[in-house]
Amino acid sequence: MDQLNLLCIIFLLLGHRLIHARPADSGYGGGYDKPADGPLSFGFYDKSCPNLGMIVRWGVWAAFKNDTRIAASLLRLHFHDCFVDGCEGSVLLDDTKDFKGEKNAFPNRNSARGFELIDSIKADVEKACPSIVSCVDILAIAAREAVVLSGGPFWPVALGRLDGLVASEKSANEQLPSPFEPLVNITAKFVAKGLDAKDMVVLSGAHTIGFAQCFTFKRRLFNFKGSGKADPSLDTPFLSNLQTSCPNSDTSNSKLVPLDAQTITRFDNSYYKNIVGNSGLLESDTALITDPQTAAMVKAYSADPFLFAKDFAASMLKLGNIGVLTGQAGQVRKTCGLLN
């Protein structure tokens, strides 16, 4: 048995107790009676769907052992959901006659993955507890499980979100940060969601896993800012490797390159070490070292993996609380891509 599968099995065997982990003094209860953080509760499904955590964990693990890339895909899917009009599962919706959804928005088209896995986990959850658990809550748990399986931090996921009734391609195009934007614009988009510069820097650390298509950074390799030359800030061997991986032709645009070539599947602080060493892949990654405030945080996280893990968990809790729907504001979809 290889090391990855052994670690995954140990995680599954020991993880059941973690899914319900919560601070001893929290007073978290089920339902909406004693909210833990805003309208959400860490024990929301304890009585109505007590095996939810294990079902989601098993589904993510089964996918992860065959495709470690799914971890980054699930984390990105959760981020792209919450960042566009709040955490309400809108990214999961298919287009309808009434709206064009987010799946085909520019930041998601031919890049967002994991929809089929969330659908599969939802089907398993429906068998255990019909019409109880929202798709958006499943996605939130799945993102956490994906990070933990990749060696990253655990954080308790407050639950009780409802699935939204609409999705907007326009909102996705406008609200999601782009790797081509200046740092000030990206920071402003985080602030608009109730997050701050620290959250922006620490959540960017999610780029320690996953891949990017060549077109998202290729102008840095051959025609940086219209100069006809490469970005002079890039480490020379790193640049040479990228130019080999992404030749200067349109045929390489969709080719995948790891966001963190040092530890491709490991959730750690190598992303920040890369930036300090002039080996950040995206322009938005490199930009973090050009501003004194964000540069200080990058250097701190590059030197202290435990600080990064702690702060990442805290920022993920904040991310998961953006624009949640409760009460009569949404629904529990039976199928994640379709409204009931």
Side-chain angles (χ1 to χ4, degrees):
M1 179 180 297
D2 61 41
Q3 186 178 18
L4 175 61
N5 281 337
L6 178 60
L7 288 173
C8 290
I9 291 171
I10 292 172
F11 167 71
L12 284 166
L13 292 174
L14 297 179
H16 179 67
R17 295 170 70 182
L18 288 175
I19 192 71
H20 299 295
R22 45 193 181 269
D25 62 347
S26 63
Y28 300 143
Y32 299 109
D33 297 331
K34 297 179 181 178
D37 194 350
L40 304 180
S41 164
F42 288 85
F44 191 82
Y45 298 110
D46 279 0
K47 293 182 179 179
S48 60
C49 194
N51 292 322
L52 172 63
M54 185 57 73
I55 295 171
V56 178
R57 176 179 294 109
W58 181 263
V60 175
W61 172 76
F64 180 83
K65 70 184 181 69
N66 292 318
D67 175 19
T68 54
R69 185 183 162 208
I70 195 64
S73 298
L74 290 173
L75 181 56
R76 183 171 184 259
L77 203 59
H78 177 48
F79 177 86
H80 279 214
D81 178 42
C82 291
F83 227 79
V84 180
D85 300 327
C87 307
E88 24 70 290
S90 56
V91 73
L92 304 173
L93 280 172
D94 296 326
D95 293 354
T96 73
K97 61 181 178 62
D98 298 315
F99 62 77
K100 290 185 68 176
E102 298 165 28
K103 286 185 176 181
N104 290 309
F106 181 74
N108 295 325
R109 189 184 311 139
N110 299 321
S111 66
R113 302 171 69 244
F115 299 107
E116 295 83 2
L117 176 56
I118 296 300
D119 288 341
S120 175
I121 295 172
K122 172 63 172 174
D124 290 339
V125 171
E126 283 294 300
K127 293 175 185 176
C129 2
S131 302
I132 296 293
V133 182
S134 65
C135 294
V136 62
D137 273 351
I138 290 172
L139 178 56
I141 300 171
R144 191 272 310 282
E145 299 302 323
V147 170
V148 174
L149 276 171
S150 301
F154 173 93
W155 63 93
V157 179
L159 301 169
R161 303 167 188 80
L162 289 176
D163 298 318
L165 305 177
V166 69
S168 170
E169 180 182 58
K170 181 174 182 291
S171 291
N173 284 329
E174 293 175 350
Q175 296 176 25
L176 286 168
S178 162
F180 307 111
E181 288 183 289
L183 183 62
V184 63
N185 291 23
I186 295 174
T187 304
K189 287 185 174 182
F190 274 77
V191 171
K193 301 300 177 182
L195 304 173
D196 56 26
K198 179 180 178 181
D199 296 311
M200 184 267 293
V201 174
V202 76
L203 290 175
S204 295
H207 288 172
T208 185
I209 54 175
F211 292 76
Q213 296 184 63
C214 288
F215 84 89
T216 61
F217 59 85
K218 199 162 64 173
R219 70 179 184 179
R220 301 187 71 195
L221 311 183
F222 303 102
N223 190 27
F224 184 60
K225 295 184 177 179
S227 67
K229 299 179 181 179
D231 183 344
S233 71
L234 284 171
D235 173 74
T236 301
F238 181 63
L239 170 63
S240 178
N241 288 337
L242 290 179
Q243 289 175 330
T244 300
S245 299
C246 298
N248 192 17
S249 67
D250 290 344
T251 56
S252 70
N253 283 349
S254 60
K255 186 176 179 181
L256 297 174
V257 171
L259 286 157
D260 169 13
Q262 302 305 312
T263 54
I264 297 174
T265 61
R266 180 80 179 169
F267 197 99
D268 57 20
N269 68 330
S270 290
Y271 166 79
Y272 300 102
K273 294 179 180 180
N274 293 341
I275 294 175
V276 172
N278 297 318
S279 298
L281 185 65
L282 305 178
E283 288 179 56
S284 55
D285 297 331
T286 301
L288 296 177
I289 204 70
T290 63
D291 174 86
Q293 180 189 17
T294 58
M297 288 184 270
V298 167
K299 291 174 183 176
Y301 293 138
S302 72
D304 190 342
F306 301 103
L307 177 65
F308 168 53
K310 177 179 71 70
D311 287 354
F312 186 84
S315 289
M316 287 301 296
L317 281 169
K318 291 176 67 175
L319 176 72
N321 280 330
I322 297 174
V324 299
L325 302 178
T326 58
Q328 303 301 311
Q331 63 180 205
V332 174
R333 293 184 210 137
K334 296 178 181 177
T335 302
C336 293
L338 304 173
L339 297 174
N340 292 345

